[in-house]
């Protein structure tokens, strides 16, 4: 039973930069924004340190940005999506400044630009040194609460999409343990982020549990590229959960990666050493650690690097861990960071289901291919959020009555589950940085055991994690090659047979996985 049934023109689920940007573009339609954390505090966006990539320098161009993005993507980028993202980057920066975002500037007053792995130019914008995500959330939140027609429901859990005759017409939400509500709307936009909590070691906060992907799968939407999980090379190796991120901008400014002997082992792995693409650096660090070595970022000998002012988040994280970045090297490990795959969308954020759009990490536009280029994540979320909002607005043309801001605070809180911890260990061991057939088969079997044992689990987040874990493991098992972020130790080369995408569609027969054709697989969601 539902305590209430509400109506809106659009429901936006998620309050990262994608969800906020879309909601702002949709105003003054009657927009209801649902987020399971407190507004401005949840998800991965506030944790983003690296910045936003945009070709705004006179010596750069969107064409250069596009080439770098495709070079990192392992041959699976959808080039029209790359074109949309890179061409839209300068405008996205102008819009953020109009919303009040404050980017770092050089002594001459121009926006300061950094360089990160895989980029051929300095094109990374930062805010507050390494607090870019936090600054974007601050400015977008302030704009959001000033906008007419937007209702905000925070600490409210979106349970499932409402589907009628193959079309999404709303969403069911849990306000708390005892109250539920159904929100009916002709347009629903998913901006729920990724699924980093699938893994024992991750930079993603506890609420990033694949909710949007799982809801879309249960509703029958197409998912794609779920085997491509990006592991950030340099998370601070502590006992914290999530692991603190040590931004790639450190390496971009000359901070070396060394082992316990002081050896820069990455120079023997790739010509760009520390500035090689993320998948290369992550695998090299993982392999070196597996061989019994310790790995560090060594900030001690970069004399002209102003850590305190340029990387305050890094310095704070180190001090919380009892480390002094001025006096000792910082231990690092790869950690799950970003999902290239997700709900399949077109250039306007449309999914395979009528009435459903998606943007940001929950979505797979094809812009990132098999491996996302550094600092393209916030950019993609912003560009495709605006395009999805425009598409929804065009379809909703006509008179509507805007309403003032209404704020509903729920009392939903994530559960703590031993099974969730067990699942994260399983995925890290068998579907993590390095994979093989034996480990992936073990993962698939164990996940099915989880599903069978907990088919009716009251833990909503665990159920969503299981839905996505099974597809990730199955996809990685089917893709018998190494490409981008997906590395198979038993198939170390890329194969032309897999120069394609794996799509997944929910079936009615629980637990059965079938290959429907060359490019599409079918999987039942638990």
């Amino acid at each position: 039973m539902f305590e209430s049934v509400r109506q809106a023109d659009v429901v936006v689920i998620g309050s990262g930069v994608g969800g906020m940007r879309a909601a702002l573009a949709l105003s003054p339609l009657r927009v209801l924004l649902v987020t399971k954390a407190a507004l401005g505090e949840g998800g991965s966006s506030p944790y983003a340190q690296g910045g936003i990539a945009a070709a705004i320098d006179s010596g750069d161009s969107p064409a250069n940005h596009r080439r770098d993005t495709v070079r990192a993507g392992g041959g699976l980028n959808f080039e029209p999506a790359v074109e949309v993202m890179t061409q839209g980057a300068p405008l996205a920066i102008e819009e953020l400044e109009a919303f009040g975002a404050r980017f770092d500037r050089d002594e001459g007053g121009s926006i300061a630009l950094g360089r990160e792995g895989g980029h051929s130019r300095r094109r990374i914008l930062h805010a507050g040194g390494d607090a870019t995500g936090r600054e974007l959330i601050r400015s977008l939140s302030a704009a959001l609460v000033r906008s007419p027609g937007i209702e905000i429901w925070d600490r409210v859990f979106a349970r499932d999409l409402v589907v009628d005759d193959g079309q999404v017409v709303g969403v069911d939400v849990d306000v708390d343990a005892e109250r539920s509500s159904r929100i009916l709307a002709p347009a629903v936009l998913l901006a729920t982020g990724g699924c980093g909590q699938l893994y024992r070691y991750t930079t993603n906060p506890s609420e990033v549990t694949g909710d949007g992907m799982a809801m879309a799968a249960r509703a029958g939407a197409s998912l794609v590229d779920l085997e491509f999980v990006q592991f950030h090379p340099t998370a601070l190796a502590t006992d914290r959960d999530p692991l603190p991120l040590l931004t790639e901008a450190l390496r971009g400014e000359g901070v070396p990666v060394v082992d316990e002997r002081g050896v820069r082992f990455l120079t023997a792995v790739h010509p760009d050493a520390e500035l090689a693409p993320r998948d290369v650096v992550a695998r090299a660090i993982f392999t070196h650690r597996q061989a019994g070595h310790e790995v560090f970022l060594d900030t001690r000998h970069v004399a002209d690097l102003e850590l305190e002012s340029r990387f305050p988040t890094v310095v704070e994280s180190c001090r919380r861990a009892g480390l002094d970045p001025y006096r000792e090297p910082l231990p690092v490990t790869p950690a799950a960071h970003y999902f290239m795959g997700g709900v399949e969308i077109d250039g306007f954020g449309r999914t395979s289901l009528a009435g459903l759009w998606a943007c940001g990490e929950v979505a797979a536009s094809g812009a990132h291919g098999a491996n996302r280029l550094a600092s393209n994540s916030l950019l993609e979320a912003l560009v495709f959020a605006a395009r999805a909002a425009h598409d929804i607005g065009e379809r909703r043309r006509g008179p509507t009555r805007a309403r003032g801001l209404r704020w509903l605070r729920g009392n939903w809180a994530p559960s703590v589950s031993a099974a969730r911890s067990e699942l994260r260990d399983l995925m890290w061991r068998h579907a993590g940085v390095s994979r093989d057939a034996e480990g992936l088969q073990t993962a698939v079997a164990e996940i099915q055991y989880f599903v069978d044992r907990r088919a009716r689990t009251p833990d909503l987040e665990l159920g969503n994690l299981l839905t996505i874990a099974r597809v990730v493991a199955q996809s990685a098992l089917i893709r018998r090659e190494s490409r981008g972020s997906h590395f198979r130790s038993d198939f170390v080369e890329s194969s032309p047979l897999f120069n394609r995408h794996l799509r997944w569609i929910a079936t009615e027969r629980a637990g059965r996985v079938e290959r429907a054709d060359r490019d599409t697989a079918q999987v039942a969601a638990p």
Side-chain angles (χ1 to χ4, degrees):
M1 290 293 293
F2 297 102
E3 183 183 73
S4 64
V5 177
R6 299 296 306 277
Q7 291 190 328
D9 292 331
V10 187
V11 178
V12 176
I13 308 174
S15 61
V17 295
M20 287 189 180
R21 180 66 188 91
L24 287 167
L26 287 162
S27 177
L29 291 174
R30 294 180 301 158
V31 180
L32 203 163
L33 186 147
V34 177
T35 177
K36 70 176 182 179
L39 183 71
E41 296 180 11
S44 296
S45 289
Y47 289 81
Q49 295 179 13
I52 304 178
I56 62 172
D57 184 73
S58 59
D60 199 2
S61 69
N64 290 334
H65 189 181
R66 181 179 69 250
R67 280 193 292 272
D68 290 346
T69 299
V70 171
R71 188 181 301 117
L76 283 187
N77 304 80
F78 182 52
E79 295 214 30
V82 182
E83 181 80 11
V84 163
M85 180 179 69
T86 55
Q87 289 286 347
L91 177 59
I93 299 304
E94 291 179 16
E95 291 173 338
L96 287 170
E97 290 192 290
F99 287 127
R102 301 178 296 237
F103 291 105
D104 296 342
R105 295 183 177 271
D106 59 25
E107 293 179 356
S110 299
I111 291 178
L113 298 175
R115 186 182 172 194
E116 294 178 355
H119 288 274
S120 61
R121 304 284 198 282
R122 297 181 73 90
R123 65 167 69 97
I124 313 302
L125 294 83
H126 295 91
D130 57 2
T132 307
R134 194 180 308 162
E135 170 62 13
L136 297 195
I137 291 296
R138 181 204 63 78
S139 58
L140 292 173
S141 295
L144 195 69
V145 297
R146 295 193 303 264
S147 297
I150 299 177
E151 296 189 29
I152 301 169
W153 288 16
D154 69 355
R155 301 188 180 95
V156 171
F157 187 89
R159 174 188 287 271
D160 264 313
L161 298 170
V162 180
V163 181
D164 182 26
D165 195 25
Q167 178 166 334
V168 174
V169 295
V171 60
D172 291 336
V173 303
D174 289 347
V175 178
D176 54 33
E178 298 179 353
R179 293 184 296 161
S180 298
S181 183
R182 171 163 287 183
I183 307 165
L184 298 176
V188 175
L189 187 144
L190 293 174
T192 53
C195 201
Q197 282 288 314
L198 271 181
Y199 291 93
R200 167 54 59 204
Y201 300 111
T202 180
T203 63
N204 293 179
S206 61
E207 63 269 18
V208 181
T209 52
D211 303 328
M213 296 182 201
M215 284 192 291
R218 289 192 290 269
S222 171
L223 305 184
V224 66
D225 291 342
L226 268 297
E227 67 270 36
F228 296 118
V229 183
Q230 186 172 81
F231 295 85
H232 197 286
T234 54
L236 188 63
T238 73
D239 57 0
R240 290 178 59 189
D241 185 17
L243 294 180
L245 179 70
L246 298 183
T247 172
E248 190 155 349
L250 286 165
R251 286 177 281 133
E253 296 301 326
V255 174
V257 174
V258 300
D259 62 18
E260 75 282 359
R261 305 164 296 177
V263 174
R264 286 184 62 203
F265 60 92
L266 289 173
T267 57
V269 175
H270 192 278
D272 292 332
E274 284 85 1
L275 291 180
R278 280 183 176 175
D279 64 302
V280 175
V281 180
R283 280 197 297 276
I285 292 175
F286 178 82
T287 301
H288 212 58
R289 283 170 55 90
Q290 290 291 100
H293 293 284
E294 297 178 84
V295 180
F296 304 89
L297 273 176
D298 194 351
T299 57
R300 297 174 299 173
H301 306 303
V302 188
D304 59 346
L305 194 61
E306 299 172 350
L307 288 176
E308 201 81 43
S309 60
R310 294 191 58 191
F311 302 100
T313 306
V314 166
V315 172
E316 181 185 2
S317 294
C318 292
R319 287 175 175 165
R320 285 183 177 178
L323 298 168
D324 184 347
Y326 294 98
R327 296 179 177 273
E328 57 190 318
L330 308 176
V332 295
T333 178
H337 185 60
Y338 187 88
F339 269 64
M340 272 69 71
V343 183
E344 189 172 20
I345 62 169
D346 67 8
F348 291 94
R350 305 167 188 145
T351 74
S352 60
L353 290 178
L356 182 66
W357 287 255
C359 68
E361 194 175 350
V362 68
S365 68
H368 303 311
N371 190 37
R372 175 178 66 84
L373 183 65
S375 289
N376 271 351
S377 56
L378 293 174
L379 173 63
E380 188 216 22
L382 290 162
V383 170
F384 281 88
R387 289 175 68 85
H390 176 78
D391 190 62
I392 293 170
E394 286 293 300
R395 292 164 182 261
R396 291 289 304 154
R397 278 190 179 277
T400 186
R401 184 178 65 184
R403 295 187 293 180
L405 175 69
R406 179 180 181 273
W407 204 301
L408 181 146
R409 288 194 183 276
N411 193 33
W412 180 86
S415 61
V416 178
S417 169
R420 177 164 158 173
S421 179
E422 192 177 339
L423 175 64
R424 293 175 67 189
D425 286 336
L426 175 74
M427 292 296 287
W428 180 257
R429 287 195 308 272
H430 299 306
V433 178
S434 181
R435 306 156 173 185
D436 61 29
E438 181 180 0
L440 290 167
Q441 288 166 351
T442 298
V444 170
E446 288 292 320
I447 292 165
Q448 187 60 52
Y449 172 71
F450 270 103
V451 172
D452 293 341
R453 185 176 56 170
R454 298 176 177 272
R456 296 183 180 180
T457 174
D459 186 334
L460 302 177
E461 290 182 321
L462 175 59
N464 289 338
L465 286 167
L466 287 168
T467 297
I468 304 306
R470 183 160 57 182
V471 186
V472 169
Q474 285 281 8
S475 296
L477 184 60
I478 291 169
R479 185 172 286 279
R480 296 186 298 276
E481 65 159 1
S482 292
R483 183 186 296 268
S485 63
H486 169 70
F487 180 76
R488 288 279 299 264
S489 60
D490 50 351
F491 294 97
V492 296
E493 301 294 332
S494 295
S495 166
L497 295 175
F498 287 93
N499 190 23
R500 53 191 171 86
H501 302 273
L502 296 177
R503 293 181 177 85
W504 299 84
I505 301 171
T507 67
E508 294 181 359
R509 300 200 319 184
R512 184 174 177 82
V513 178
E514 299 173 350
R515 297 295 303 283
D517 57 40
R518 179 181 173 86
D519 293 321
T520 303
Q522 295 185 341
V523 59

